[in-house]
Amino acid sequence: MSEPAHTVRVIPVPDGLDGERIDVAVSRLLGLSRSRVADLVAEGHVVLDGAVPAKSDRVWPGALLEVTIPQVRPVEVTAVPVDDLQIMYDDDDFLVVDKPVGVAAHPGVGWTGPTVLGALAARGYRISTSGAPERQGIVHRLDVGTSGLMAVAKSEHAYSVMKQYFRDRVVDKTYHALVQGHPDPHTGTIDAPIARHPKHDFKFTVRADGRPSVTHYDTLEAHRYASLLTIKLETGRTHQIRVHMSALKHPCVGDPLYGADPTLARKVGLERQWLHAVGLGFDHPRTGEPVTFISPYPQDLQRALDTIRGLN
């Protein structure tokens, strides 16, 4: 028997969601992302008390939500070469890559660009089969717009051990960020929960009902228009550094999504946020010996930093 092409959920709206936008209500009730729910509403797969709503329409207690969820076909890894992706380390258990900007960690719905897994497949690497089909071997990720070090598991043992490392927060992840202005104090910790932005898809914000998020920063260089920070993460939320620095009113240079000045970005020649995963350290998943890796700044970030230094 073939699998059903869709799933239908019929749910009465509880009192606690009275007055919420329908995309927010469905997201909370079904555990789907806001962007996924917005697509379902736009495609007519959400019905509110017999009528097809807009995603901004509000719900009320007792109203009947009927949500049809089409079966999503798994996104396949396509072997596509990425010439400037460098292999920093490679053994039977894992490898570490230096990911360039513009490359996703793995395939995803709506992403048609290059991926780390696709680049590794194009070079003939065999990766752990653990994890969802489209992200096998991935133990942590970097944003498409963030460059730097990423580890990928090759053996099943390494995948299990390294995933636990990240859950237990024992991996030493070091980033460098060039942020606008001068954080005060120049060394500090940001402990602020992060959640999806209520009004913007693909954006996050500090919110009381968000997931716990902790960022430590220290100023390496202070210049007239910007400061170079070293940043260590206790947690690994999506856009965490960008969200936390924006909340301090010191967004990453070149990051207009989180409030950066586009004029300064043009002045230093940046077309993405100045953020680089410069260091990665953990115990080898098989031998237990400490391993550390360092990534130099890519040309665009180095050039922008040199320009900032020259503007003093």
Side-chain angles (χ1 to χ4, degrees):
M1 182 180 294
S2 61
E3 294 184 2
H6 58 264
T7 301
V8 178
R9 299 287 301 275
V10 179
I11 311 170
V13 176
D15 292 345
L17 293 180
D18 184 22
E20 287 282 10
R21 285 168 46 125
I22 194 164
D23 56 344
V24 173
V26 173
S27 175
R28 291 183 179 175
L29 287 170
L30 299 185
L32 302 173
S33 70
R34 285 274 303 283
S35 58
R36 175 74 170 131
V37 174
D39 289 341
L40 292 176
V41 173
E43 294 162 6
H45 293 308
V46 177
V47 177
L48 178 62
D49 255 11
V52 176
K55 68 177 182 179
S56 58
D57 286 354
R58 306 284 171 168
V59 301
W60 58 91
L64 209 59
L65 276 169
E66 182 176 331
V67 184
T68 301
I69 308 173
Q71 185 179 17
V72 178
R73 298 181 62 182
V75 180
E76 296 182 355
V77 175
T78 303
V80 177
V82 178
D83 293 338
D84 49 350
L85 181 140
Q86 296 185 48
I87 307 297
M88 308 294 284
Y89 178 84
D90 177 23
D91 69 13
D92 291 340
D93 289 295
F94 71 96
L95 51 82
V96 174
V97 303
D98 199 346
K99 185 188 84 67
V101 66
V103 178
H106 57 75
V109 176
W111 176 254
T112 58
T115 67
V116 170
L117 290 187
L120 295 176
R123 299 186 192 186
Y125 283 95
R126 294 179 64 84
I127 303 302
S128 163
T129 58
S130 299
E134 73 277 8
R135 53 179 182 270
Q136 289 178 344
I138 296 292
V139 293
H140 70 122
R141 295 176 290 180
L142 294 178
D143 295 342
V144 171
T146 301
S147 53
L149 297 171
M150 235 187 81
V152 181
K154 295 175 69 177
S155 70
E156 308 313 313
H157 172 77
Y159 181 87
S160 175
V161 172
M162 295 172 75
K163 284 292 285 186
Q164 195 61 46
Y165 284 169
F166 282 93
R167 292 190 196 101
D168 294 341
R169 304 177 186 177
V170 296
V171 177
D172 186 7
K173 298 177 288 183
T174 305
Y175 296 77
H176 283 183
L178 187 67
V179 304
Q180 292 181 191
H182 309 101
D184 183 15
H186 60 79
T187 297
T189 294
I190 308 165
D191 186 349
I194 291 176
R196 284 192 175 274
H197 198 287
K199 297 182 180 178
H200 302 281
D201 292 335
F202 311 113
K203 186 177 180 180
F204 294 79
T205 188
V206 168
R207 255 179 39 186
D209 62 347
R211 300 175 69 188
S213 309
V214 180
T215 301
H216 306 284
Y217 71 89
D218 188 21
T219 301
L220 294 175
E221 301 178 13
H223 301 286
R224 181 178 180 183
Y225 294 103
S227 300
L228 180 65
L229 308 182
T230 183
I231 293 175
K232 290 185 179 289
L233 300 181
E234 282 192 26
T235 52
R237 309 303 178 209
T238 303
H239 297 184
Q240 179 172 324
I241 294 173
R242 300 165 66 190
V243 171
H244 274 173
M245 298 318 301
S246 177
L248 287 189
K249 309 301 183 186
H250 298 288
C252 295
V253 175
D255 191 5
L257 180 65
Y258 288 102
D261 179 5
T263 302
L264 181 59
R266 286 194 296 270
K267 184 177 292 187
V268 300
L270 266 184
E271 297 182 355
R272 52 112 163 192
Q273 68 265 15
W274 205 114
L275 180 60
H276 186 65
V278 70
L280 189 62
F282 48 87
D283 291 342
H284 192 287
R286 188 171 298 278
T287 69
E289 293 296 318
V291 291
T292 57
F293 307 95
I294 300 294
S295 168
Y297 299 153
Q299 288 185 356
D300 63 333
L301 300 189
Q302 185 65 59
R303 185 169 55 247
L305 178 58
D306 291 341
T307 301
I308 284 289
R309 289 167 172 163
L311 294 174
N312 286 339

